[in-house]
Amino acid sequence: MRATVMFGAGTVRIEAVPDARLIEPTDALVVVTRAAICGSDLWPYKTMEHSETGRRMGHEAVGVVETVGADVRTLKVGDVVVMPFAYSDGTCIFCHEGLHTSCIHGGFFGAGDVNGAQAEAVRVPQADGTLVVLPAGKDDALMPSLLTLSDVMATGHHAAVAAKVGPGRTAAVVGDGAVGLCGVIAARRLGAEQIILLGRHPNRIALAREFGATDVVSERGDKAIERVRELTDGFGVHSVLECVGLEQSMLTALSIARPGGAVGRVGVPQDETMPASRPAFYNNVTVSGGPAPARAYIDELLPDVLEGRIEPGRVFDRVVRLDEVPDGYRAMNEREAIKVLIGF
């Protein structure tokens, strides 16, 4: 079969690899019908050291179950499923607490011994606890939005939950990538009264406004902080969704939170330390977040997608075939595309 393999910074190729197959009796084999390139895939695309063997990429997919292991009970051949970016057994103490990304038998696609999903097929460990059967055909028009439940919509929602977004509260979203845009959807869905997007790209700003952003701040650094405070009567916002992961974005997030506010961080941190810990301490700012337990959120978000109340699939502004994936990485890295959908 064919799959996306990254061999180092800027080097992505579509390679012939051994066919995906069942290994454990709890596995399922899924034929991928749609996948995506994630903003987090761009970090190794920028920094990965050369590897002779390469890394199989991709952690967002929908597809059709082709076969299941002997111990799989909730899935059958032909089911159309969405695959969260982390696999989990659904039965351990952390899964029961809704933290599937910390499952004691779990892990992440495209990491360790579990290959990525930017491929014609993917082995899904712990299939019963991981995959969610979709009440839709594989070519349903809603598939782009359903695909976002594997990561970006769930991650934007996680940022909003961690930031304690609620009715009547003010929120700011740091970052205008796909996760940030989904964060705007999530903040509006949870009832935020004012939603400030911190972003600079006109096409993304336009989409954010359609999703529910009430204000846009395109300045950076101290000027951005000053502008947010102007928009909030000098207080700052109740809830900040940090969707980038850089030191400057986290510093901005902590600086625009009002005393007693909360920051939900979902941008993969690129630094070992967190800035502004002392101001955050003295302002009683809560800092929470991490990898989104997408599996825990799908049941909540799925009805809103199916009924058209939210349309997160609009973050996909470029569609490529598998053999065009290397150019998809380039386009996202050069900000020519917000998010790339891979069709098969």
Side-chain angles (χ1 to χ4, degrees):
M1 70 175 198
R2 296 181 302 154
T4 302
V5 185
M6 185 177 293
F7 291 93
T11 305
V12 175
R13 297 198 293 268
I14 305 305
E15 298 278 299
V17 300
D19 288 345
R21 61 184 179 87
L22 302 182
I23 297 176
E24 302 292 340
T26 51
D27 291 348
L29 182 65
V30 174
V31 174
V32 178
T33 57
R34 286 174 179 80
I37 301 173
C38 184
S40 64
D41 293 333
L42 299 182
W43 295 121
Y45 186 74
K46 297 174 189 289
T47 63
M48 180 178 168
E49 294 185 5
H50 177 74
S51 165
E52 291 295 331
T53 56
R55 172 181 166 186
R56 298 267 291 275
M57 300 299 294
H59 53 259
E60 303 162 282
V62 292
V64 179
V65 175
E66 183 171 87
T67 186
V68 298
D71 292 346
V72 174
R73 297 288 179 263
T74 63
L75 302 160
K76 65 182 185 300
V77 173
D79 281 343
V80 178
V81 293
V82 59
M83 183 198 87
F85 68 90
Y87 60 91
S88 54
D89 62 20
T91 61
C92 80
I93 184 172
F94 296 113
C95 288
H96 279 301
E97 293 175 357
L99 197 60
H100 295 70
T101 46
S102 293
C103 175
I104 60 177
H105 298 119
F108 298 90
F109 290 95
D113 296 330
V114 180
N115 290 319
Q118 292 169 8
E120 292 177 321
V122 62
R123 177 179 77 93
V124 179
Q126 305 293 344
D128 280 330
T130 302
L131 296 172
V132 177
V133 178
L134 296 171
K138 66 183 180 67
D139 296 319
D140 194 292
L142 290 174
M143 274 299 155
S145 285
L146 293 168
L147 175 57
T148 68
L149 300 180
S150 68
D151 188 348
V152 287
M153 185 60 229
T155 296
H157 178 69
H158 187 52
V161 170
K164 304 180 182 180
V165 175
R169 293 171 70 87
T170 56
V173 179
V174 181
D176 59 7
V179 170
L181 293 170
C182 287
V184 172
I185 295 174
R188 183 181 185 184
R189 179 179 175 276
L190 292 175
E193 183 176 88
Q194 181 182 28
I195 303 170
I196 304 168
L197 175 76
L198 280 75
R200 309 182 72 179
H201 301 87
N203 60 328
R204 303 174 186 217
I205 289 170
L207 189 54
R209 288 194 182 279
E210 293 179 29
F211 284 162
T214 58
D215 301 277
V216 173
V217 171
S218 295
E219 296 88 346
R220 287 187 174 180
D222 291 341
K223 291 184 178 180
I225 297 166
E226 180 182 349
R227 180 63 183 139
V228 171
R229 292 194 173 277
E230 288 176 358
L231 291 168
T232 56
D233 297 324
F235 297 124
V237 296
H238 295 97
S239 304
V240 187
L241 289 65
E242 196 285 310
C243 303
V244 181
L246 295 174
E247 180 182 22
Q248 182 59 60
S249 61
M250 193 61 194
L251 177 61
T252 298
L254 289 166
S255 300
I256 61 177
R258 65 188 283 159
V263 174
R265 57 193 308 228
V266 295
V268 179
Q270 300 303 302
D271 299 284
E272 292 294 326
T273 59
M274 190 177 74
S277 61
R278 184 168 292 178
F281 173 81
Y282 282 107
N283 282 325
N284 281 282
V285 173
T286 300
V287 180
S288 186
R295 181 61 185 83
Y297 295 137
I298 290 175
D299 290 343
E300 176 183 349
L301 297 171
L302 180 58
D304 280 4
V305 171
L306 294 173
E307 295 171 24
R309 287 190 291 269
I310 60 173
E311 298 179 282
R314 295 176 64 195
V315 300
F316 292 109
D317 58 346
R318 182 169 299 196
V319 179
V320 301
R321 300 186 305 273
L322 183 59
D323 59 5
E324 299 170 318
V325 165
D327 189 60
Y329 272 83
R330 180 205 59 78
M332 281 184 62
N333 188 56
E334 296 179 8
R335 300 293 181 94
E336 290 180 8
I338 301 172
K339 188 169 179 67
V340 172
L341 185 149
I342 305 166
F344 292 81

